[in-house]
Amino acid sequence: VRALQPMAYRRVIFLTSRGPGALTARDALKRMDPDGAFLRHISITARDKACFLPGTPCEPDACPYARGYWDKVREALPALLERRSGDPATIADVARKHEVCPFELSLDAASWSDVIIGDYNYLFDPVVRLQRLAGDPSTAVLVDESHQLSPRVRDMLSLSLRRAAVKEALAESPPDTVARRLRGIDRQLLKLRREAAGRLEQIIPLPEPLLRAQQRFVDEFANGELALQSWPACQQLLFTCSRWLRSESWYSPERFEFTLTPEDKKHGTELAVGMICLDAGPWVKARLGEFGGHVRFSGTVSPLQLYQSLHGIDDGAAERAGNPFSSDQLDVLVVPDVPTYLRARQRSLPQLLDLVATVMQSGAGHHLVAFPSFEYLETFAAAFAAAHAGVQVHVQARGMTEAQQAEYLAQFRQDETPLLGLVVLGGVFGESVDFSGARLAGIVCVGVGLPPPSLTRTALQAHFDARGMDGGAMAFQQPAMVKVLQMAGRLLRSQEDRGVLCLVDARFRQQEYERFFPGHWRPEVVRARDVGDRLEAFWGPDTAHAAERST
């Protein structure tokens, strides 16, 4: 706040990549201004999450919270602003009392707030971005978890049209004029499939006939006489096609490719056309340039210049903050002799089991082991349970609900007996999850977690290589190492914490991967058989013996 005062900024927009980031921001504001005497803040939550009547059209005739909004908001807005703290619960409370839409109320309150907290998409999504927040030189933007900025914005600028969505719309038996337009889209998709001649996913030229067919479909609804609620699949397809047509405002042939994924019933793929963004940098730079200033920050932006390039701001200022932890709090070990490649996993499983058991026995407390896939995790879980029946093992399940995630985390805070948690790199427990109070003593990252080769990844690599940049780093190593570094960041959460980070893969010794390591790491290469002695030196013999007795 003091830094903003001499720059004459009157408002801050705090952008988050995931929901937990908003909680952290609100907690920081509460500590800065406990009584709300100086700062009024508002959190903008997605419309569908804030809605009191999910599935109801946002129209006065259908929704009582939309009916008479402009009359009722005259009392609702001052009532919310008086609260000073506009967290989702407060917004919902005021909106219910005054019977107004909570999402619209949060947008109106944003204009009167000192700090606005919201997801990236409110600034960067070309369709849903909030125009009322843009173009203000007296507003500063803070971008949290900025290592996620480039992939998130690439996704916002990319598009996909599935033939299955067209068939679902036709199955609703819409009016003949609409059905005719839908069949026109379907014909163009089938024509592209014939031209593919059975080849796998491929890059295709700009599909102009398909775009024209989408335009004719959208035009059928332009007069507004059709009740879209009667055909939900048609309505959803209309949104999809409208976005395709609006993409003309952000598409450029230098930064986008069109893809075709032919139908393959054997492998469960369906006919789809995509427009993929290869480089979101110019769009990010342009959107941030609409404001008086911005700061992008994260604990995972090494090397700095690579992220500057991904964000389109090669000439921007960059600074590395000092490490808040001392060097004796973290022991980073690289274990190169336990192979984690797909074909070697079954053979090296006994080595990995012994290594994890050694790490657990060396330090009292809970431990996490992170795997590059659920398949690898589940194979290890079954084998570890059979070999170490006395150890409590908590396994991340596929598709866990928020309640199940919270219960999973609670086990680490409540249980005194050492627990072993098995999670997936890049999953829900790898980022923006607070393990404070969880008594974590160690994390083992198994493998570098490279994303599998794909047409999109190959196109990304070729795009950056053609511009004299390291395409392999941009397309493969950066997304892989983000997962590893974010997982490692769960370990030390306070000045009192100490812990061990074990990186299991020979590739962690290579310069291509080491350059992503934070500056305060002091990694040492240790063979698996020597890990126990190395950790005894770190923890001390008393801690090691206590851990061995407890497990």
Side-chain angles (χ1 to χ4, degrees):
V1 176
R2 286 194 297 270
L4 293 176
Q5 287 172 346
M7 299 180 185
Y9 292 127
R10 65 184 181 89
R11 179 182 296 126
V12 171
I13 298 175
F14 188 97
L15 298 177
T16 67
S17 177
R18 295 191 181 190
L23 295 174
T24 304
R26 289 195 292 269
D27 180 62
L29 288 169
K30 186 175 181 180
R31 284 177 295 178
M32 292 167 59
D33 184 21
D35 302 321
F38 305 104
L39 294 172
R40 177 186 289 125
H41 64 88
I42 194 79
S43 293
I44 301 177
T45 307
R47 184 189 295 270
D48 58 344
K49 288 187 177 180
C51 183
F52 294 147
L53 300 173
T56 302
C58 299
E59 299 172 1
D61 293 341
C63 178
Y65 298 98
R67 191 177 306 126
Y69 176 83
W70 296 111
D71 294 324
K72 293 182 286 187
V73 76
R74 295 176 183 176
E75 293 184 2
L77 182 57
L80 177 58
L81 296 176
E82 188 177 352
R83 302 277 192 101
R84 308 293 294 180
S85 172
D87 59 82
T90 301
I91 295 170
D93 181 52
V94 173
R96 285 189 186 279
K97 287 181 179 178
H98 293 270
E99 203 174 9
V100 296
C101 172
F103 179 74
E104 292 295 335
L105 179 61
S106 69
L107 297 186
D108 286 329
S111 301
W112 300 88
S113 298
D114 302 302
V115 181
I116 303 167
I117 302 169
D119 187 83
Y120 286 176
N121 63 335
Y122 294 122
L123 200 65
F124 295 108
D125 190 294
V127 175
V128 305
R129 63 192 295 257
L130 302 176
Q131 295 293 341
R132 67 179 82 186
L133 299 182
D136 184 358
S138 66
T139 295
V141 178
L142 302 180
V143 185
D144 189 18
E145 302 287 10
S146 60
H147 61 277
Q148 293 285 9
L149 184 57
S150 178
R152 278 289 310 276
V153 178
R154 282 205 311 265
D155 286 344
M156 294 175 196
L157 300 176
S158 300
L159 303 169
S160 178
L161 175 64
R162 301 176 301 112
R163 188 186 177 217
V166 179
K167 295 168 69 175
E168 289 167 6
L170 280 167
E172 292 180 331
S173 300
D176 291 342
T177 54
V178 174
R180 184 165 61 250
R181 300 308 184 193
L182 288 170
R183 286 191 288 271
I185 295 174
D186 195 45
R187 281 195 297 273
Q188 293 303 323
L189 289 171
L190 292 174
K191 181 180 178 182
L192 289 171
R193 185 176 68 179
R194 288 194 299 273
E195 292 171 353
R199 288 173 290 169
L200 300 177
E201 187 180 18
Q202 59 188 276
I203 301 292
I204 62 172
L206 173 69
E208 295 185 74
L210 177 61
L211 293 175
R212 288 195 293 269
Q214 292 183 73
Q215 181 68 69
R216 288 190 288 269
F217 171 64
V218 171
D219 288 345
E220 283 295 327
F221 295 89
N223 57 21
E225 295 180 0
L226 293 173
L228 289 175
Q229 309 91 277
S230 303
W231 307 290
C234 281
Q235 184 180 42
Q236 188 58 50
L237 185 61
L238 177 64
F239 294 152
T240 299
C241 292
S242 297
R243 193 174 179 101
W244 270 86
L245 299 175
R246 293 179 64 176
S247 69
E248 183 179 358
S249 64
W250 70 83
Y251 166 77
S252 69
E254 299 82 15
R255 296 185 294 113
F256 288 81
E257 293 282 10
F258 291 92
T259 63
L260 175 67
T261 304
E263 189 174 34
D264 185 342
K265 295 181 180 179
K266 180 180 178 180
H267 295 93
T269 59
E270 58 187 19
L271 179 62
V273 174
M275 185 181 89
I276 59 172
C277 176
L278 303 175
D279 184 3
W283 182 265
V284 169
K285 181 178 182 179
R287 300 291 71 76
L288 291 174
E290 297 173 345
F291 299 91
H294 76 273
V295 177
R296 292 158 287 128
F297 59 96
S298 170
T300 315
V301 284
S302 294
L304 290 173
Q305 191 52 50
L306 181 143
Y307 284 91
Q308 292 284 62
S309 299
L310 284 172
H311 299 162
I313 312 177
D314 292 278
D315 55 349
E319 184 174 347
R320 191 181 301 282
N323 171 32
F325 305 113
S326 62
S327 58
D328 63 352
Q329 285 182 262
L330 178 66
D331 200 20
V332 180
L333 306 181
V334 175
V335 180
D337 58 334
V338 179
T340 65
Y341 288 97
L342 184 62
R343 293 182 179 179
R345 289 174 183 174
Q346 196 63 43
R347 174 169 47 87
S348 64
L349 187 58
Q351 287 178 274
L352 185 59
L353 293 170
D354 291 343
L355 174 65
V356 171
T358 298
V359 173
M360 284 199 73
Q361 292 167 5
S362 298
H366 304 318
H367 290 75
L368 292 176
V369 184
F371 297 86
S373 69
F374 273 106
E375 289 80 8
Y376 201 176
L377 179 155
E378 290 159 358
T379 299
F380 177 90
F384 192 89
H388 303 277
V391 178
Q392 292 190 57
V393 181
H394 289 275
V395 180
Q396 176 185 346
R398 303 172 191 246
M400 294 176 76
T401 64
E402 290 187 5
Q404 290 170 330
Q405 294 170 27
E407 183 180 353
Y408 185 95
L409 287 172
Q411 294 294 328
F412 289 86
R413 296 191 178 99
Q414 296 166 1
D415 264 305
E416 292 296 324
T417 305
L419 303 177
L420 178 65
L422 307 183
V423 299
V424 172
L425 281 169
V428 294
F429 298 111
E431 182 172 357
S432 299
V433 173
D434 189 3
F435 275 89
S436 297
R439 295 176 53 247
L440 284 182
I443 292 177
V444 180
C445 288
V446 183
V448 297
L450 282 175
S454 67
L455 182 67
T456 298
R457 292 286 170 193
T458 302
L460 274 172
Q461 181 172 0
H463 171 83
F464 287 109
D465 281 341
R467 283 150 182 78
M469 302 164 69
D470 189 339
M474 302 291 196
F476 293 96
Q477 291 152 11
Q478 183 267 342
M481 289 305 294
V482 160
K483 298 176 185 178
V484 172
L485 299 184
Q486 284 295 305
M487 194 69 243
R490 305 311 98 199
L491 187 54
L492 301 185
R493 309 304 292 179
S494 75
Q495 296 295 335
E496 292 73 38
D497 291 341
R498 293 186 77 212
V500 172
L501 173 63
C502 201
L503 305 174
V504 185
D505 196 300
R507 285 170 288 186
F508 286 118
R509 300 175 63 183
Q510 299 172 8
Q511 193 275 333
E512 295 96 312
Y513 296 91
E514 283 187 338
R515 60 179 166 168
F516 290 93
F517 289 0
H520 66 278
W521 281 13
R522 299 292 181 266
E524 295 187 32
V525 178
V526 180
R527 298 186 70 80
R529 66 170 180 265
D530 299 324
V531 167
D533 293 338
R534 180 66 185 83
L535 294 185
E536 184 171 335
F538 176 75
W539 289 114
D542 293 339
T543 304
H545 295 327
E548 189 170 1
R549 287 194 301 271
S550 64
T551 56

